[in-house]
Amino acid sequence: MEYTQLGRTGLKVSRLVLGTMNFGPQTDEADSHAIMDAALDAGINYFDTANVYGWGENKGRTESIIGNWFAQGGGRRDKVVLATKVYGNMAADGDPWPNHDKLSALNIRRAVDASLKRLQTDYIDIYQFHHVDRSTPFEEIWQAVDVLVQQGKILYVGSSNFPGYKIAQANEIAARRHGTIGLVSEQCLYNLAERRAEMEVIPAAQEYGLGVIPWSPLHGGLLGGVIKKEAEGGRRASGRAADSLANTAIRAQIQSYEDLLDKHGVEPGEAALAWLLTRPGVTGPIVGPRTAEQLDSALRAVELELSEELLSGLDEIFPGPGPSPEAFAW
């Protein structure tokens, strides 16, 4: 496994991030524990989760599965850089009582204590804002964060799904009014098929020293060889991938992608991850394996070197938007 600094911090993290969203809803606790053990054995030290994972009436279940794994001991907690998120409604019935969601100081305080209990730990390495809260000023958010840092409950703060201007706003307020480090990472939707983050989000993250953590690196399975799998009678596309393939132009694009990789003898899913590892500003993509086999495939991507010819071919099939503002101005 390769390691890098998380943005401008001194924190060393693996270049693959273990995503845990499937733990509970699709992968039972025993298999989830086995995947986490295998990830740790392979050198992955960066684990990502969120308080809402488990979904519906099982919100918080994923954090509890991770907490039970930590409780097994063996240095598990000490070896892991643990990231979780706050923002979503945690009410079991779906209707939040006032102040039980988003990023008010009250909800941040309540949510972090609940996450710590489920995770069976006394601190969170990276506490992430799962979405922009347009109704709460950053002055209030940073004041709440300062208290949690002083209490030792969190060490760093990251964002997820933030536009570039909010990254800038958050860190300017943190630096000028609070004298603190501000955001250290941004999780964003970024992959070969979805490159809009290159216009504003990633440049803002680089300018302010945030590590970029792409989520959905295979775009819901679209970049994992979905057409070939369908032809071979394998698992059919669903969700985002199925919706995309219904568009004939996108289907042709994905067919060209799979043909290119077949020509170079590279597995599509591994190539999509390896491509992200070549992108400026990217710390490491989040991989969310449902099985141990899927984790093994992701691990192979770290050692995969893509030729310049292949990289050029990928750019031809999936051209990025270009830099801002040149992409939309003269």
Side-chain angles (χ1 to χ4, degrees), residues 120-148:
Q120 300 188 51
T121 185
D122 56 2
Y123 71 100
I124 294 163
D125 295 284
I126 309 167
Y127 201 48
Q128 302 161 124
F129 308 137
H130 211 163
H131 196 276
V132 170
D133 182 355
R134 295 179 175 89
S135 60
T136 304
F138 277 113
E139 288 85 353
E140 176 181 345
I141 293 170
W142 287 128
Q143 185 179 48
V145 165
D146 289 345
V147 172
L148 295 179

mmCIF file of all heavy atoms in Angstrom, residues 120-148:
data_model
loop_
_atom_site.group_PDB
_atom_site.id
_atom_site.type_symbol
_atom_site.label_atom_id
_atom_site.label_comp_id
_atom_site.label_asym_id
_atom_site.label_seq_id
_atom_site.Cartn_x
_atom_site.Cartn_y
_atom_site.Cartn_z
ATOM 1 N N GLN A 120 -17.749 3.193 19.545
ATOM 2 C CA GLN A 120 -17.022 2.670 20.707
ATOM 3 C C GLN A 120 -15.578 3.200 20.736
ATOM 4 O O GLN A 120 -14.608 2.459 20.903
ATOM 5 C CB GLN A 120 -17.029 1.138 20.718
ATOM 6 C CG GLN A 120 -18.442 0.551 20.783
ATOM 7 C CD GLN A 120 -18.460 -0.935 20.993
ATOM 8 O OE1 GLN A 120 -17.811 -1.446 21.906
ATOM 9 N NE2 GLN A 120 -19.233 -1.661 20.166
ATOM 10 N N THR A 121 -15.470 4.502 20.546
ATOM 11 C CA THR A 121 -14.176 5.161 20.614
ATOM 12 C C THR A 121 -14.351 6.503 21.299
ATOM 13 O O THR A 121 -15.487 6.979 21.458
ATOM 14 C CB THR A 121 -13.594 5.350 19.194
ATOM 15 O OG1 THR A 121 -12.266 5.888 19.291
ATOM 16 C CG2 THR A 121 -14.448 6.296 18.352
ATOM 17 N N ASP A 122 -13.260 7.115 21.715
ATOM 18 C CA ASP A 122 -13.367 8.402 22.398
ATOM 19 C C ASP A 122 -12.959 9.575 21.510
ATOM 20 O O ASP A 122 -12.975 10.713 21.959
ATOM 21 C CB ASP A 122 -12.562 8.411 23.701
ATOM 22 C CG ASP A 122 -11.102 8.056 23.497
ATOM 23 O OD1 ASP A 122 -10.694 7.842 22.330
ATOM 24 O OD2 ASP A 122 -10.365 7.991 24.492
ATOM 25 N N TYR A 123 -12.593 9.293 20.251
ATOM 26 C CA TYR A 123 -12.274 10.396 19.347
ATOM 27 C C TYR A 123 -12.495 9.970 17.900
ATOM 28 O O TYR A 123 -12.460 8.785 17.554
ATOM 29 C CB TYR A 123 -10.835 10.872 19.531
ATOM 30 C CG TYR A 123 -9.789 9.906 19.016
ATOM 31 C CD1 TYR A 123 -9.185 10.107 17.768
ATOM 32 C CD2 TYR A 123 -9.410 8.791 19.753
ATOM 33 C CE1 TYR A 123 -8.243 9.227 17.283
ATOM 34 C CE2 TYR A 123 -8.471 7.901 19.275
ATOM 35 C CZ TYR A 123 -7.883 8.113 18.045
ATOM 36 O OH TYR A 123 -6.944 7.232 17.566
ATOM 37 N N ILE A 124 -12.744 10.957 17.056
ATOM 38 C CA ILE A 124 -12.893 10.771 15.612
ATOM 39 C C ILE A 124 -11.768 11.545 14.936
ATOM 40 O O ILE A 124 -11.550 12.724 15.237
ATOM 41 C CB ILE A 124 -14.265 11.292 15.138
ATOM 42 C CG1 ILE A 124 -15.390 10.429 15.724
ATOM 43 C CG2 ILE A 124 -14.336 11.326 13.608
ATOM 44 C CD1 ILE A 124 -16.753 11.093 15.660
ATOM 45 N N ASP A 125 -11.048 10.896 14.055
ATOM 46 C CA ASP A 125 -9.908 11.558 13.416
ATOM 47 C C ASP A 125 -10.360 12.680 12.482
ATOM 48 O O ASP A 125 -9.808 13.782 12.526
ATOM 49 C CB ASP A 125 -9.078 10.530 12.635
ATOM 50 C CG ASP A 125 -8.446 9.498 13.547
ATOM 51 O OD1 ASP A 125 -7.458 9.832 14.217
ATOM 52 O OD2 ASP A 125 -8.963 8.371 13.613
ATOM 53 N N ILE A 126 -11.322 12.394 11.612
ATOM 54 C CA ILE A 126 -11.788 13.394 10.644
ATOM 55 C C ILE A 126 -13.312 13.453 10.705
ATOM 56 O O ILE A 126 -13.994 12.500 10.330
ATOM 57 C CB ILE A 126 -11.336 13.048 9.204
ATOM 58 C CG1 ILE A 126 -9.833 12.773 9.173
ATOM 59 C CG2 ILE A 126 -11.694 14.180 8.245
ATOM 60 C CD1 ILE A 126 -9.362 12.124 7.884
ATOM 61 N N TYR A 127 -13.833 14.567 11.189
ATOM 62 C CA TYR A 127 -15.274 14.747 11.296
ATOM 63 C C TYR A 127 -15.722 15.584 10.106
ATOM 64 O O TYR A 127 -15.271 16.724 9.929
ATOM 65 C CB TYR A 127 -15.621 15.443 12.619
ATOM 66 C CG TYR A 127 -17.058 15.240 13.059
ATOM 67 C CD1 TYR A 127 -17.620 13.975 13.060
ATOM 68 C CD2 TYR A 127 -17.826 16.307 13.491
ATOM 69 C CE1 TYR A 127 -18.933 13.772 13.479
ATOM 70 C CE2 TYR A 127 -19.139 16.114 13.918
ATOM 71 C CZ TYR A 127 -19.686 14.847 13.907
ATOM 72 O OH TYR A 127 -20.984 14.654 14.314
ATOM 73 N N GLN A 128 -16.610 15.017 9.291
ATOM 74 C CA GLN A 128 -16.926 15.608 7.997
ATOM 75 C C GLN A 128 -18.358 16.135 7.924
ATOM 76 O O GLN A 128 -19.291 15.482 8.389
ATOM 77 C CB GLN A 128 -16.724 14.557 6.896
ATOM 78 C CG GLN A 128 -15.311 13.993 6.849
ATOM 79 C CD GLN A 128 -15.229 12.684 6.106
ATOM 80 O OE1 GLN A 128 -14.468 12.559 5.158
ATOM 81 N NE2 GLN A 128 -15.993 11.705 6.522
ATOM 82 N N PHE A 129 -18.499 17.305 7.319
ATOM 83 C CA PHE A 129 -19.827 17.867 7.052
ATOM 84 C C PHE A 129 -20.346 17.225 5.770
ATOM 85 O O PHE A 129 -19.772 17.403 4.695
ATOM 86 C CB PHE A 129 -19.738 19.381 6.892
ATOM 87 C CG PHE A 129 -19.038 20.086 8.021
ATOM 88 C CD1 PHE A 129 -18.122 21.097 7.767
ATOM 89 C CD2 PHE A 129 -19.278 19.736 9.343
ATOM 90 C CE1 PHE A 129 -17.468 21.755 8.799
ATOM 91 C CE2 PHE A 129 -18.627 20.378 10.381
ATOM 92 C CZ PHE A 129 -17.717 21.392 10.114
ATOM 93 N N HIS A 130 -21.435 16.485 5.882
ATOM 94 C CA HIS A 130 -21.923 15.650 4.774
ATOM 95 C C HIS A 130 -22.544 16.471 3.644
ATOM 96 O O HIS A 130 -22.720 15.981 2.534
ATOM 97 C CB HIS A 130 -22.954 14.645 5.318
ATOM 98 C CG HIS A 130 -22.982 13.351 4.579
ATOM 99 N ND1 HIS A 130 -23.568 12.221 5.091
ATOM 100 C CD2 HIS A 130 -22.500 12.977 3.371
ATOM 101 C CE1 HIS A 130 -23.455 11.227 4.229
ATOM 102 N NE2 HIS A 130 -22.816 11.654 3.181
ATOM 103 N N HIS A 131 -22.879 17.702 3.928
ATOM 104 C CA HIS A 131 -23.513 18.559 2.923
ATOM 105 C C HIS A 131 -23.430 19.994 3.418
ATOM 106 O O HIS A 131 -23.228 20.241 4.606
ATOM 107 C CB HIS A 131 -24.979 18.151 2.725
ATOM 108 C CG HIS A 131 -25.618 18.691 1.484
ATOM 109 N ND1 HIS A 131 -26.162 19.957 1.426
ATOM 110 C CD2 HIS A 131 -25.789 18.142 0.259
ATOM 111 C CE1 HIS A 131 -26.673 20.158 0.212
ATOM 112 N NE2 HIS A 131 -26.448 19.084 -0.520
ATOM 113 N N VAL A 132 -23.586 20.932 2.498
ATOM 114 C CA VAL A 132 -23.648 22.340 2.868
ATOM 115 C C VAL A 132 -24.929 22.608 3.660
ATOM 116 O O VAL A 132 -26.005 22.122 3.306
ATOM 117 C CB VAL A 132 -23.630 23.228 1.610
ATOM 118 C CG1 VAL A 132 -23.945 24.667 1.958
ATOM 119 C CG2 VAL A 132 -22.278 23.132 0.912
ATOM 120 N N ASP A 133 -24.795 23.358 4.744
ATOM 121 C CA ASP A 133 -25.975 23.821 5.497
ATOM 122 C C ASP A 133 -26.112 25.318 5.234
ATOM 123 O O ASP A 133 -25.392 26.134 5.802
ATOM 124 C CB ASP A 133 -25.793 23.552 6.988
ATOM 125 C CG ASP A 133 -27.009 23.967 7.812
ATOM 126 O OD1 ASP A 133 -27.947 24.545 7.235
ATOM 127 O OD2 ASP A 133 -27.015 23.713 9.031
ATOM 128 N N ARG A 134 -27.034 25.667 4.378
ATOM 129 C CA ARG A 134 -27.180 27.071 3.969
ATOM 130 C C ARG A 134 -27.793 27.946 5.055
ATOM 131 O O ARG A 134 -27.786 29.175 4.941
ATOM 132 C CB ARG A 134 -28.027 27.144 2.698
ATOM 133 C CG ARG A 134 -27.377 26.480 1.486
ATOM 134 C CD ARG A 134 -28.259 26.551 0.251
ATOM 135 N NE ARG A 134 -27.594 26.017 -0.936
ATOM 136 C CZ ARG A 134 -27.627 24.746 -1.305
ATOM 137 N NH1 ARG A 134 -28.323 23.881 -0.560
ATOM 138 N NH2 ARG A 134 -27.007 24.335 -2.390
ATOM 139 N N SER A 135 -28.322 27.347 6.116
ATOM 140 C CA SER A 135 -28.980 28.132 7.161
ATOM 141 C C SER A 135 -28.105 28.365 8.385
ATOM 142 O O SER A 135 -28.507 29.079 9.305
ATOM 143 C CB SER A 135 -30.290 27.449 7.592
ATOM 144 O OG SER A 135 -30.034 26.149 8.110
ATOM 145 N N THR A 136 -26.907 27.767 8.414
ATOM 146 C CA THR A 136 -26.028 27.923 9.576
ATOM 147 C C THR A 136 -24.735 28.609 9.155
ATOM 148 O O THR A 136 -24.040 28.129 8.265
ATOM 149 C CB THR A 136 -25.691 26.560 10.204
ATOM 150 O OG1 THR A 136 -26.897 25.871 10.538
ATOM 151 C CG2 THR A 136 -24.863 26.737 11.470
ATOM 152 N N PRO A 137 -24.384 29.744 9.767
ATOM 153 C CA PRO A 137 -23.154 30.450 9.389
ATOM 154 C C PRO A 137 -21.917 29.664 9.822
ATOM 155 O O PRO A 137 -21.932 28.953 10.833
ATOM 156 C CB PRO A 137 -23.264 31.777 10.148
ATOM 157 C CG PRO A 137 -24.144 31.474 11.319
ATOM 158 C CD PRO A 137 -25.125 30.453 10.839
ATOM 159 N N PHE A 138 -20.847 29.821 9.072
ATOM 160 C CA PHE A 138 -19.624 29.099 9.409
ATOM 161 C C PHE A 138 -19.036 29.557 10.740
ATOM 162 O O PHE A 138 -18.331 28.793 11.410
ATOM 163 C CB PHE A 138 -18.591 29.247 8.288
ATOM 164 C CG PHE A 138 -18.791 28.283 7.156
ATOM 165 C CD1 PHE A 138 -19.163 28.732 5.897
ATOM 166 C CD2 PHE A 138 -18.625 26.916 7.343
ATOM 167 C CE1 PHE A 138 -19.364 27.846 4.853
ATOM 168 C CE2 PHE A 138 -18.817 26.019 6.310
ATOM 169 C CZ PHE A 138 -19.192 26.485 5.053
ATOM 170 N N GLU A 139 -19.315 30.787 11.145
ATOM 171 C CA GLU A 139 -18.841 31.225 12.464
ATOM 172 C C GLU A 139 -19.380 30.304 13.560
ATOM 173 O O GLU A 139 -18.644 29.940 14.485
ATOM 174 C CB GLU A 139 -19.277 32.670 12.729
ATOM 175 C CG GLU A 139 -18.545 33.713 11.908
ATOM 176 C CD GLU A 139 -19.158 33.935 10.528
ATOM 177 O OE1 GLU A 139 -20.079 33.170 10.149
ATOM 178 O OE2 GLU A 139 -18.728 34.864 9.836
ATOM 179 N N GLU A 140 -20.643 29.938 13.445
ATOM 180 C CA GLU A 140 -21.245 29.033 14.440
ATOM 181 C C GLU A 140 -20.668 27.626 14.327
ATOM 182 O O GLU A 140 -20.374 26.972 15.342
ATOM 183 C CB GLU A 140 -22.761 28.980 14.242
ATOM 184 C CG GLU A 140 -23.472 27.995 15.175
ATOM 185 C CD GLU A 140 -24.978 27.950 14.937
ATOM 186 O OE1 GLU A 140 -25.515 28.850 14.266
ATOM 187 O OE2 GLU A 140 -25.623 26.998 15.433
ATOM 188 N N ILE A 141 -20.506 27.168 13.090
ATOM 189 C CA ILE A 141 -19.973 25.819 12.871
ATOM 190 C C ILE A 141 -18.562 25.697 13.432
ATOM 191 O O ILE A 141 -18.238 24.743 14.156
ATOM 192 C CB ILE A 141 -19.996 25.484 11.366
ATOM 193 C CG1 ILE A 141 -21.442 25.366 10.871
ATOM 194 C CG2 ILE A 141 -19.232 24.186 11.093
ATOM 195 C CD1 ILE A 141 -21.572 25.272 9.361
ATOM 196 N N TRP A 142 -17.709 26.691 13.146
ATOM 197 C CA TRP A 142 -16.331 26.616 13.625
ATOM 198 C C TRP A 142 -16.244 26.753 15.142
ATOM 199 O O TRP A 142 -15.366 26.164 15.781
ATOM 200 C CB TRP A 142 -15.465 27.677 12.944
ATOM 201 C CG TRP A 142 -15.162 27.360 11.511
ATOM 202 C CD1 TRP A 142 -15.353 28.175 10.435
ATOM 203 C CD2 TRP A 142 -14.630 26.144 10.977
ATOM 204 N NE1 TRP A 142 -14.980 27.547 9.280
ATOM 205 C CE2 TRP A 142 -14.526 26.300 9.576
ATOM 206 C CE3 TRP A 142 -14.236 24.932 11.559
ATOM 207 C CZ2 TRP A 142 -14.043 25.293 8.746
ATOM 208 C CZ3 TRP A 142 -13.755 23.934 10.733
ATOM 209 C CH2 TRP A 142 -13.662 24.110 9.344
ATOM 210 N N GLN A 143 -17.159 27.530 15.715
ATOM 211 C CA GLN A 143 -17.177 27.629 17.176
ATOM 212 C C GLN A 143 -17.475 26.263 17.793
ATOM 213 O O GLN A 143 -16.829 25.856 18.769
ATOM 214 C CB GLN A 143 -18.231 28.647 17.616
ATOM 215 C CG GLN A 143 -18.242 28.903 19.123
ATOM 216 C CD GLN A 143 -19.284 29.942 19.507
ATOM 217 O OE1 GLN A 143 -20.435 29.860 19.082
ATOM 218 N NE2 GLN A 143 -18.872 30.918 20.288
ATOM 219 N N ALA A 144 -18.422 25.542 17.206
ATOM 220 C CA ALA A 144 -18.749 24.202 17.697
ATOM 221 C C ALA A 144 -17.563 23.255 17.510
ATOM 222 O O ALA A 144 -17.253 22.438 18.389
ATOM 223 C CB ALA A 144 -19.978 23.667 16.971
ATOM 224 N N VAL A 145 -16.901 23.368 16.362
ATOM 225 C CA VAL A 145 -15.744 22.517 16.086
ATOM 226 C C VAL A 145 -14.618 22.804 17.086
ATOM 227 O O VAL A 145 -13.975 21.872 17.597
ATOM 228 C CB VAL A 145 -15.257 22.739 14.638
ATOM 229 C CG1 VAL A 145 -13.856 22.153 14.438
ATOM 230 C CG2 VAL A 145 -16.236 22.114 13.649
ATOM 231 N N ASP A 146 -14.366 24.076 17.363
ATOM 232 C CA ASP A 146 -13.304 24.431 18.313
ATOM 233 C C ASP A 146 -13.513 23.752 19.660
ATOM 234 O O ASP A 146 -12.562 23.252 20.276
ATOM 235 C CB ASP A 146 -13.256 25.949 18.506
ATOM 236 C CG ASP A 146 -12.734 26.678 17.282
ATOM 237 O OD1 ASP A 146 -12.152 26.025 16.395
ATOM 238 O OD2 ASP A 146 -12.921 27.916 17.207
ATOM 239 N N VAL A 147 -14.751 23.722 20.113
ATOM 240 C CA VAL A 147 -15.058 23.084 21.398
ATOM 241 C C VAL A 147 -14.744 21.590 21.347
ATOM 242 O O VAL A 147 -14.137 21.030 22.267
ATOM 243 C CB VAL A 147 -16.528 23.316 21.786
ATOM 244 C CG1 VAL A 147 -16.906 22.490 23.019
ATOM 245 C CG2 VAL A 147 -16.785 24.796 22.051
ATOM 246 N N LEU A 148 -15.149 20.936 20.259
ATOM 247 C CA LEU A 148 -14.931 19.493 20.137
ATOM 248 C C LEU A 148 -13.446 19.159 20.045
ATOM 249 O O LEU A 148 -12.996 18.144 20.593
ATOM 250 C CB LEU A 148 -15.665 18.955 18.909
ATOM 251 C CG LEU A 148 -17.192 19.046 18.952
ATOM 252 C CD1 LEU A 148 -17.790 18.505 17.662
ATOM 253 C CD2 LEU A 148 -17.749 18.286 20.151
#
